[in-house]
Amino acid sequence: MQPTAPLLRRLRRLALTTKHVNGGYYKGTGSGSMGRHTKHGGYIIDYKKVRTFVVPTDLKDFKLTPFVTKTMEPLKGQFEGDPKGGLSGERYLDKWKRENGMD
């Protein structure tokens, strides 16, 4: 069964996937390689291939705005009375028991 001509034209405009073509087509993710694999299972980074982004030096007169406001204060967690701070396992278990009940 064949699709009609107008439907076939619409199907050709869709994105090409590996299921639409024969073997040998690899779409990838667009990330590119940053180095090479060694024969021992390691990975060597080639710094000529690594992407670097140049930030303008004077951003005060820069016309584009960032996605995050520059005036936002950093949020700090409050862990008073706990010497381990936010990484305490006891604190995590207490919170889990409060939210999920005792098991």
Side-chain angles (χ1 to χ4, degrees):
M1 191 163 132
Q2 286 283 348
T4 60
L7 183 60
L8 192 61
R9 277 193 298 268
R10 243 185 275 150
L11 286 174
R12 286 187 186 143
R13 284 188 225 139
L14 294 175
L16 189 65
T17 66
T18 55
K19 293 182 180 182
H20 293 129
V21 294
N22 291 331
Y25 174 73
Y26 178 70
K27 188 172 182 179
T29 60
S31 60
S33 70
M34 297 291 165
R36 62 184 173 88
H37 293 279
T38 64
K39 65 180 180 180
H40 303 291
Y43 193 76
I44 297 175
I45 295 176
D46 184 7
Y47 287 99
K48 291 183 280 186
K49 293 182 172 184
V50 175
R51 292 179 187 93
T52 55
F53 301 101
V54 179
V55 179
T57 55
D58 187 23
L59 293 177
K60 290 181 182 177
D61 298 329
F62 198 65
K63 293 181 182 174
L64 295 176
T65 58
F67 292 118
V68 180
T69 180
K70 294 180 183 178
T71 59
M72 184 174 173
E73 294 290 327
L75 299 175
K76 303 279 186 191
Q78 297 180 5
F79 303 106
E80 61 268 348
D82 195 353
K84 294 181 184 175
L87 300 176
S88 172
E90 293 86 11
R91 191 171 190 91
Y92 173 78
L93 288 175
D94 290 339
K95 182 178 178 184
W96 188 87
K97 287 176 185 176
R98 271 187 275 121
E99 292 176 0
N100 299 311
M102 298 294 280
D103 274 333

